[in-house]
Amino acid sequence: MWKPNQPGTTPSTPEPVRPSTPATPSFEATPTRPATAGTAASAAPSGDQATIGKSLVIKGELSGSESLYIDGKVEGAITLPGNRVTVGRNGQVAANIIAREVVVLGKVRGNVQASDRVDIRSEGSLTGDVIAARISIEDGAFFKGGIDIRKPGAADAKGTPAPAAEPVAVTA
């Protein structure tokens, strides 16, 4: 039971306020963002992260040099070769994606090419071919397409399509 003479138990209330900032970007929060990026696990390791909100619909080609979080709808092509593309739970993407790392929590229709890894979470759905060095598909995730595992830099030196010839069993 809580007693009013114990004020030491109240400092736990500011804790939930801290992680809620990535959902609502503000211009004043940018100077403090690098300081929190080192402590937050969900922050992009390469610096800033752009966000496409739930109500936004984008048709066309996206390219740039920062990580991207998509919670709306995107149709076209996404090219962010050195960065992370995260498709949020509300995100719906009908595009080919080229990035360093792709994390799928929502729905993606299109081919995905990642220089590092593709991660399909349990709520995620990916329909299309994947080319990556590493892939992770959680239980409950939906995946339909082909997988081509390519080692960084070493796949072209051999000149053999052996990794693509091996069948990969995926259960949904």
Side-chain angles (χ1 to χ4, degrees):
M1 185 176 342
W2 180 77
K3 295 180 183 179
N5 62 356
Q6 294 178 349
T9 59
T10 56
S12 62
T13 55
E15 228 171 344
V17 177
R18 225 179 334 127
S20 66
T21 55
T24 57
S26 86
F27 294 109
E28 296 174 350
T30 50
T32 60
R33 213 168 170 186
T36 58
T39 58
S42 63
S46 62
D48 290 336
Q49 177 174 340
T51 301
I52 297 175
K54 284 192 246 187
S55 64
L56 293 178
V57 177
I58 296 179
K59 295 181 181 181
E61 184 175 319
L62 291 173
S63 61
S65 59
E66 61 185 289
S67 294
L68 178 64
Y69 183 86
I70 302 170
D71 219 20
K73 293 183 181 180
V74 176
E75 296 178 15
I78 301 171
T79 307
L80 302 170
N83 298 290
R84 173 189 291 172
V85 174
T86 303
V87 179
R89 293 181 183 185
N90 299 312
Q92 296 180 3
V93 176
N96 292 333
I97 302 173
I98 298 173
R100 177 183 52 83
E101 183 175 350
V102 179
V103 179
V104 180
L105 297 161
K107 294 182 180 180
V108 175
R109 277 187 310 123
N111 298 332
V112 176
Q113 183 174 349
S115 58
D116 186 20
R117 66 179 281 147
V118 174
D119 190 8
I120 308 170
R121 303 284 173 89
S122 60
E123 310 90 18
S125 169
L126 174 61
T127 304
D129 295 337
V130 174
I131 299 172
R134 300 183 294 164
I135 186 167
S136 170
I137 304 173
E138 287 186 359
D139 287 343
F142 177 82
F143 173 72
K144 183 175 183 180
I147 300 174
D148 187 1
I149 303 295
R150 294 187 180 170
K151 294 181 181 176
D156 295 333
K158 291 182 181 179
T160 59
E166 296 178 20
V168 176
V170 176
T171 58

